[in-house]
């Protein structure tokens, strides 16, 4: 959520014309970075960095070399200052320590060494349709078993989660649902004649959606107790589609 908010607000900051608006939006970006660091989420932080590289690449022509350098230097300064504040003056300063302690073996982070292989083993037994839309039933974590249902722990990976529950067919359908608006955002973002603000917001949509899909490699958001996050993500998809439609309408000849 914080990574998504950072880049949506950052785009507003870069397009704002009034100094007081830029000040408020800049502070909001810094606050979101602070909360992101406070979560101590290693994957979220790495997604933030990767999305930042993509954001600067997407807007390289609009920003120019000088403003790109300004965004990078300003972001680095804010990150250092906010990180120092969180680490030294709060109880939520474990992010950088966790990053330093992270180990990767055969492409799998140390915290996923058990659950990813276990999920993949069961996926291979029913790769096309999966084992059913429910990952687990009540009591299974405590040893209770249901006839005909295969139990695994949460794989902490959306793509393994989908392959296990709804198989390759379900994974393709899910990705199509996300990649279709991403493709529309890409087309509008680089289409000539589009309203510049709408085009830039469409490009930001590409960055945000790529960030969401990358982040799901380390934790799946399709959990029963996280439905509020579903609402946010899918509402965002609808708004991005609306932005693309408005942008395309701006290129149509207006009636006299």
């Amino acid at each position: 959520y914080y990574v998504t908010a950072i880049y949506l607000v950052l785009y507003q900051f870069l397009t704002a014309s009034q100094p007081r608006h830029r000040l408020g939006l800049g502070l909001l970006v810094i606050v979101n970075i602070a909360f992101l660091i406070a979560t101590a989420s290693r994957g979220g932080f790495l997604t933030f960095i990767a999305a930042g590289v993509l954001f600067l690449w997407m807007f390289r022509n609009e920003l120019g070399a000088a403003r790109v350098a300004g965004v990078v230097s300003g972001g680095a300064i804010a990150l250092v200052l906010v990180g120092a504040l969180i680490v030294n003056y709060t109880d939520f300063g474990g992010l950088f320590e966790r990053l330093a302690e992270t180990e990767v073996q055969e492409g799998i982070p140390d915290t996923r060494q058990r659950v990813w292989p276990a999920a993949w083993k069961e996926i291979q037994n029913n790769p096309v349709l999966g084992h059913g839309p429910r990952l687990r039933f009540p009591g299974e974590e405590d040893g209770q078993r249901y006839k005909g249902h295969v139990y695994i722990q949460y794989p902490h990976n959306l793509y393994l989660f989908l392959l296990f529950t709804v198989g390759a067919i379900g994974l393709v359908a899910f990705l199509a649902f996300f990649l279709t608006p991403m493709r529309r955002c890409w087309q509008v973002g680089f289409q000539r004649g589009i309203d510049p603000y709408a085009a830039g917001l469409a490009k930001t949509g590409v960055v945000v959606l790529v960030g969401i899909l990358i982040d799901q490699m380390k934790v799946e958001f399709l959990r029963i107790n996280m439905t509020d996050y579903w609402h946010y993500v899918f509402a965002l998809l609808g708004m991005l589609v609306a932005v693309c439609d408005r942008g395309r309408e701006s290129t149509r000849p207006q009636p006299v």
Side-chain angles (χ1 to χ4, degrees):
Y1 169 81
Y2 291 124
V3 173
T4 300
I6 286 168
Y7 290 106
L8 289 173
V9 177
L10 177 60
Y11 175 68
Q12 304 301 324
F13 169 81
L14 294 173
T15 56
S17 57
Q18 297 188 27
R20 62 189 181 89
H21 291 168
R22 292 175 62 84
L23 176 61
L25 291 166
L27 290 175
L28 191 55
V29 170
I30 293 173
V31 168
N32 277 284
I33 292 175
F35 282 132
L36 174 63
I37 294 174
T39 65
S41 171
R42 295 169 295 181
F45 182 77
L46 294 175
T47 300
F48 162 66
I49 299 299
V53 173
L54 178 60
F55 183 91
L56 293 175
W57 181 84
M58 294 283 286
F59 288 95
R60 63 194 184 282
N61 294 328
E62 292 87 346
L63 295 175
R67 292 190 74 190
V68 167
V71 172
V72 172
S73 59
I77 293 172
L79 189 61
V80 170
L81 294 178
V82 170
L85 179 66
I86 297 295
V87 170
N88 295 311
Y89 298 101
T90 75
D91 295 328
F92 303 96
L95 172 62
F96 302 108
E97 183 178 350
R98 294 188 70 202
L99 283 170
E101 295 174 350
T102 300
E103 296 182 1
V104 179
Q105 299 177 5
E106 299 180 353
I108 303 177
D110 51 2
T111 54
R112 307 293 188 258
Q113 290 288 331
R114 184 167 55 87
V115 291
W116 283 10
W120 181 247
K121 179 181 177 181
E122 295 298 340
I123 287 168
Q124 295 178 77
N125 293 329
N126 200 346
V128 178
L129 296 177
H131 293 276
R134 284 294 297 271
L135 183 67
R136 64 183 183 184
F137 289 95
E140 285 191 311
E141 285 195 332
D142 298 323
Q144 183 176 345
R145 294 294 179 263
Y146 295 81
K147 184 178 180 180
H149 182 257
V150 178
Y151 166 75
I152 63 169
Q153 289 185 321
Y154 273 116
H156 294 280
N157 181 302
L158 174 67
Y159 308 107
L160 294 177
F161 178 99
L162 291 171
L163 283 171
F164 178 84
T165 54
V166 291
I169 293 177
L171 175 61
V172 169
F174 180 88
L175 289 177
F177 191 84
F178 271 83
L179 294 178
T180 298
M182 186 187 299
R183 178 178 58 84
R184 294 176 69 174
C185 286
W186 182 279
Q187 292 173 340
V188 170
F190 290 96
Q191 184 176 338
R192 293 183 179 180
I194 295 288
D195 171 66
Y197 177 80
L201 198 53
K203 288 183 178 181
T204 306
V206 173
V207 174
V208 167
L209 293 179
V210 169
I212 290 173
L213 293 179
I214 290 176
D215 195 59
Q216 301 313 305
M217 293 177 64
K218 55 92 177 175
V219 60
E220 73 285 350
F221 72 80
L222 295 179
R223 295 193 186 187
I224 296 174
N225 61 343
M226 295 181 67
T227 54
D228 53 341
Y229 187 61
W230 305 3
H231 297 161
Y232 172 77
V233 172
F234 292 120
L236 181 62
L237 285 176
M239 288 187 283
L240 290 175
V241 170
V243 165
C244 292
D245 288 345
R246 288 289 299 272
R248 284 175 172 168
E249 288 177 1
S250 68
T251 64
R252 298 173 183 171
Q254 299 298 319
V256 178

